[in-house]
Amino acid sequence: MADLQAIVDEIHEKLTPRLGEGKVADYIPQLAHVDPKKFGMAIVTVDGEMVKVGDADLPFSIQSISKVFTLTLALGKHGETTWNRVGREPSGSAFNSIVQLEHEEGKPRNPFINAGAIAVSDLVLAGHTPREAIGEIVRFVRYLADDDAIAIDPAVAKSEQATGYRNFALANFMRSFGKLDHPVEHVLGVYFHHCALAMTCMQLARSGLFLAASGSNPLTGHTVVSKQRARRINALMLTCGHYDGSGDFAYRVGLPGKSGVGGGILAVAPGRASVAVWSPGLNHNGNSLLGSLALEMLTARTGWSVFGL
Ligand code: GLN
């Protein structure tokens, strides 16, 4: 069996001279305050082995990685009817693009672009006040990670609320097509808050473990979703999890993954492990530059790519 600690130590050492590369997201002002040289990585295997390196215990803004958790919740609440509201195809466009929405009459391409995640927030809101829906999301993530310390960073949520012009445009556009059931302010309140969840790499790796282990978390014994649903969420992460960089991520890393503009990536090696990496500098698609590289090095060394050795 591979010595995972030795592998992550080597990745960390190799990337250390490059820390700070890429561009930290600053369109959400609060995110611009992060130290661009931070780097953390954590792996939790389905057998319960845990390894970490660097800043793996420092919380960061998980941003769009949270869309995996809200999709899982929406599927739990609405089942297959979720797909009446959001598609399952890669968009080939930027995460915050509005262009396809007009042609497709307010039905976003997939649940991981902003428009799609806003539609998912609308589904999670069903039967709830925004405060209750946000509470449900936080409780769900705490349950997944088995860690009650996980919380939303209110300064990030506020910062995004104050500057989220694009997201307001997307939500208003969808509402104009009758594709949101709740007021835009409520839907975006939920969306901004789940994007502002702060988690460490270790917490994130633990919370994604159910996807690596056929829907059940082997650390807690909790069955989160069916095998079929876990497989399908992984498929969406592989095809859509990195926006218009999804093809490149599949080519280089070969794992289902979801990125966030905070610089985090959650990657799933089915049957093997859940991996989280954090490095704030982003590439031109808004995905962590060194985070992607770290995962590429990991799969090259472990043979964990879903496409073969
Ligand atoms: N909260 C961010 C936004 O809406 C999420 C984007 C991301 O992480 N790619 O712009």
Side-chain angles (χ1 to χ4, degrees), residues 27-28 63-64 67 95 114 160 167 191 195 243 259-261:
Y27 73 99
I28 301 170
Q63 291 294 317
S64 288
K67 296 171 182 176
F95 64 88
N114 286 13
E160 204 167 338
N167 290 319
Y191 174 80
C195 287
Y243 315 111
S259 69
V261 288

Side-chain angles (χ1 to χ4, degrees), residues 103-126:
H103 294 295
E104 296 171 2
E105 299 186 339
K107 181 178 175 181
R109 273 286 170 101
N110 69 65
F112 296 147
I113 51 173
N114 286 13
I118 291 167
V120 169
S121 286
D122 188 52
L123 292 173
V124 174
L125 247 180

